[in-house]
Amino acid sequence: EVQLVQSAAEVKKPGESLRISCKGSGYSFTSYWITWVRQMPGKGLEWMGAIDPSDSYTYYSPSFQGHVAISADKSINTAYLQWSSLKASDTAMYYCARERASDYWGRGTLVTVSS
Amino acid sequence: ENVLTQSPGTLSLSPGERATLSCRASRSVTSSYLAWYQQKPGQAPRLLIYGASSRATGIPDRFSGSGSGTDFTLTISRLEPEDFAVYYCQQYGTSPWTFGQGTKVEIK
């Protein structure tokens, strides 16, 4: 069974760093892109970027480039989304999903940034 | 960036009725790499259609996708109670792989 298991919800303060994870199982992790999608409270889906776990080639949306970093460790079938300095406006649900037309999704990681 | 505009913003219909959702791209979508997703409150999105017209695994045949170039349509032939949700289109032909803003299908 294909699964994407995301890390637990996080509560952080502005300026703090954070890394959330997405672990794939039940399929060949290096054969499919991992995409990250943001959904702010009550809003629509925003594509942030994607990584090819086989070689860590990464695409970013211009809206997120420079503010987040996407990485992957193929030895443990895990992709990451990382911030070095969080803002209150980063408060959102973050989903990882498999492939470009995303057939499998994680349940999401809720990130709350508040002073 | 290829901007996707969905219309209408909200569609108010009754169970059994036909729903027609539109997605218009600012540039031609490469190789018809256009997907449709359904999202219900508190849930992750679910892939319905990929490649503009191919149904994803397990998706009922009342859902169909059509279109090419810059104009795409998702049709739900007869609305079931579980179909009332928000629907998003996404192009994945050219980075960034953008989403439309969504169409909410609500019960009239």
Side-chain angles (χ1 to χ4, degrees):
Chain A
E1 178 194 8
V2 174
Q3 284 191 307
L4 294 173
V5 178
Q6 295 191 234
S7 48
E10 301 271 3
V11 179
K12 291 288 190 179
K13 290 180 166 46
E16 291 187 329
S17 63
L18 174 65
R19 187 176 77 168
I20 62 175
S21 65
C22 170
K23 183 174 177 61
S25 63
Y27 72 99
S28 174
F29 186 71
T30 55
S31 296
Y32 297 85
W33 289 81
I34 292 289
T35 292
W36 287 95
V37 175
R38 181 175 80 173
Q39 189 165 38
M40 299 177 77
K43 301 299 183 182
L45 305 174
E46 299 175 90
W47 186 82
M48 301 177 70
I51 189 165
D52 179 347
S54 67
D55 60 7
S56 290
Y57 188 86
T58 309
Y59 285 122
Y60 289 96
S61 167
S63 300
F64 294 92
Q65 179 117 38
H67 186 54
V68 299
I70 295 171
S71 61
D73 184 341
K74 62 185 179 182
S75 69
I76 54 171
N77 292 355
T78 301
Y80 301 98
L81 179 65
Q82 184 169 345
W83 296 259
S84 58
S85 181
L86 286 160
K87 304 175 183 178
S89 57
D90 292 319
T91 294
M93 181 71 80
Y94 293 88
Y95 293 103
C96 66
R98 188 182 83 158
E99 256 305 301
R100 298 184 296 168
S102 299
D103 53 358
Y104 289 91
W105 292 68
R107 291 190 173 185
T109 295
L110 181 62
V111 174
T112 303
V113 184
S114 175
S115 54
Chain B
E1 163 171 332
N2 200 344
V3 177
L4 302 185
T5 302
Q6 293 186 239
S7 61
T10 302
L11 201 49
S12 298
L13 295 168
S14 300
E17 289 194 293
R18 182 185 187 90
T20 303
L21 287 67
S22 174
C23 176
R24 177 162 289 177
S26 60
R27 306 174 193 170
S28 183
V29 176
T30 303
S31 302
S32 291
Y33 285 155
L34 192 286
W36 290 93
Y37 300 88
Q38 176 194 68
Q39 188 180 32
K40 296 179 181 179
Q43 297 184 15
R46 176 173 72 144
L47 178 67
L48 301 174
I49 301 288
Y50 64 95
S53 61
S54 297
R55 266 188 304 276
T57 302
I59 300 303
D61 61 6
R62 64 180 182 273
F63 291 92
S64 63
S66 63
S68 64
T70 60
D71 289 300
F72 298 87
T73 301
L74 174 70
T75 302
I76 311 170
S77 59
R78 292 176 310 281
L79 283 164
E80 297 288 342
E82 61 268 27
D83 298 337
F84 292 92
V86 180
Y87 293 83
Y88 297 93
C89 59
Q90 180 204 21
Q91 69 80 24
Y92 52 97
T94 307
S95 180
W97 305 336
T98 45
F99 286 97
Q101 83 279 17
T103 290
K104 181 178 182 180
V105 179
E106 65 176 22
I107 299 175
K108 186 174 181 180

